[in-house]
């Protein structure tokens, strides 16, 4: 998983950014979030999240969207009440975030194609 993701926090907006690079599996998604939790990378008071897959390729089964939705739901201490914007470039990759959105429970997620649209939605 080395070099497949990077984290950034914007102190002005309160948005936590997570960018993925290369081929990404469901295990990469879960383990990179767990790493952020364990290392306390996500500041308390984070207003929302932007997950950027524009430099990534999702290598997962369509049904694995349930695992992502359940992961967010099982970690409401971090994601509860938050907005999670997901940015994709490839039309094929938007299917997973769209399906995750249909399972939102305790958090809000939404797919986007641009960072500016995602930021606007997260801050609304």
């Amino acid at each position: 998983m080395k070099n497949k993701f990077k984290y950034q926090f914007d102190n002005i907006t309160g948005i936590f950014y997570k960018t993925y690079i290369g081929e990404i599996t469901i295990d990469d998604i879960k383990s990179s979030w767990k790493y952020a939790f364990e290392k306390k990378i996500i500041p308390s008071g984070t207003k929302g999240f932007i997950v950027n897959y524009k430099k990534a390729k999702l290598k997962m089964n369509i049904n694995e969207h349930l695992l992502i939705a359940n992961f967010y739901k099982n970690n409401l201490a971090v994601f509860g009440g938050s907005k999670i914007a997901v940015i994709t470039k490839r039309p094929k990759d938007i299917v997973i975030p769209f399906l995750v959105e249909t399972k939102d429970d305790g958090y809000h997620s939404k797919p986007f194609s641009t960072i500016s649209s995602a930021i606007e939605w997260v801050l609304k």
Side-chain angles (χ1 to χ4, degrees):
M1 184 172 62
K2 189 173 182 160
N3 297 325
K4 285 192 173 187
F5 59 91
K6 63 181 180 176
Y7 308 105
Q8 180 184 350
F9 181 72
D10 183 329
N11 288 312
I12 295 170
T13 62
I15 296 174
F16 185 84
Y17 292 84
K18 187 170 167 203
T19 302
Y20 289 97
I21 301 159
E23 291 188 347
I24 304 299
T25 67
I26 185 65
D27 291 332
D28 294 324
I29 293 169
K30 293 190 324 188
S31 64
S32 61
W33 280 120
K34 287 178 184 177
Y35 177 85
F37 301 161
E38 290 167 8
K39 299 294 182 184
K40 300 185 185 330
I41 295 172
I42 303 169
S44 62
T46 296
K47 292 180 184 172
F49 300 86
I50 294 183
V51 180
N52 189 339
Y53 292 111
K54 286 184 104 170
K55 295 180 181 177
K57 182 177 183 183
L58 298 178
K59 298 293 281 182
M60 58 182 69
N61 194 314
I62 198 82
N63 291 331
E64 289 179 305
H65 76 279
L66 295 170
L67 298 174
I68 297 171
N70 286 337
F71 183 84
Y72 290 148
K73 184 177 177 182
N74 290 335
N75 289 285
L76 291 179
V78 175
F79 302 113
S82 293
K83 291 183 177 180
I84 306 166
V86 181
I87 303 169
T88 60
K89 182 168 113 179
R90 298 167 3 118
K92 167 182 163 173
D93 287 339
I94 203 164
V95 173
I96 298 286
F98 176 75
L99 291 171
V100 170
E101 181 184 13
T102 68
K103 300 298 180 187
D104 286 356
D105 187 5
Y107 64 91
H108 307 282
S109 69
K110 188 173 176 112
F112 292 90
S113 59
T114 66
I115 290 177
S116 58
S117 298
I119 291 170
E120 184 179 326
W121 178 76
V122 168
L123 295 177
K124 241 198 278 188

